[in-house]
Amino acid sequence: MPRQLVLDLHHAVDRRRRVLVSAPFVTAASRWWRLSNSQLSRDAFISLRCCTLRALSPVDLPQSQTRLAAEDEWLEIMGDELHMTREAFFASLLEIVDACLPPLSDEDACAAALDALFAAVTTSAPRRWQSAADVSFVEIAPEPPASAP
């Protein structure tokens, strides 16, 4: 493997570790965890993932497609387990925001994206998860910086 690729990979892994334990990201991810009653069953994860997929897709995905993707993700992360751990859930949330943000975004950008997504998939009063059918597309990627004149 070329040396630069190895260095880039190590940098990405180190950044991921930093984000997962950073105060901004942990605060944002903890909001999700608390609303899940500090445990996340397979069915609850699949329902929640269907909401996030719908929120992040600018096209209307069929429910069967989002459910299949969510089920596949559960199997990949948790296998036959009945409940997801907090650590696995936080890592899955980072995967979501990493897919929507510029490469190697910092902790604050990841937390802000997670907060925006949380607002899109929950109701405000009382705070609860929306059904996937009620979720609308939300753009969570930051605008690129304006070019200097």
Side-chain angles (χ1 to χ4, degrees):
M1 191 180 299
R3 179 170 165 69
Q4 187 58 47
L5 184 58
V6 171
L7 290 173
D8 290 347
L9 181 59
H10 284 292
H11 179 69
V13 169
D14 286 344
R15 175 233 165 234
R16 185 175 174 77
R17 286 185 188 131
R18 276 193 320 275
V19 170
L20 281 170
V21 298
S22 70
F25 185 82
V26 169
T27 298
S30 292
R31 232 176 260 120
W32 290 69
W33 186 248
R34 281 191 307 273
L35 199 56
S36 299
N37 296 319
S38 299
Q39 70 172 3
L40 202 59
S41 69
R42 178 185 179 278
D43 289 342
F45 175 83
I46 289 169
S47 177
L48 177 56
R49 178 55 92 221
C50 287
C51 288
T52 60
L53 289 169
R54 185 168 171 94
L56 295 173
S57 176
V59 297
D60 193 16
L61 296 173
Q63 186 177 11
S64 60
Q65 187 177 353
T66 59
R67 182 160 182 88
L68 183 60
E71 289 171 348
D72 286 348
E73 186 173 352
W74 178 271
L75 288 174
E76 182 180 316
I77 297 169
M78 300 306 299
D80 292 333
E81 295 294 323
L82 299 177
H83 290 90
M84 182 174 276
T85 64
R86 179 180 186 266
E87 293 76 17
F89 184 57
F90 281 24
S92 77
L93 291 173
L94 182 54
E95 290 289 331
I96 294 170
V97 297
D98 269 350
C100 302
L101 294 174
L104 305 179
S105 294
D106 69 11
E107 297 90 345
D108 291 328
C110 291
L114 199 52
D115 284 340
L117 186 56
F118 184 78
V121 299
T122 60
T123 61
S124 59
R127 184 67 72 182
R128 61 177 172 79
W129 301 120
Q130 292 195 64
S131 70
D134 295 331
V135 174
S136 300
F137 172 69
V138 61
E139 180 68 49
I140 67 168
E143 293 296 318
S147 304

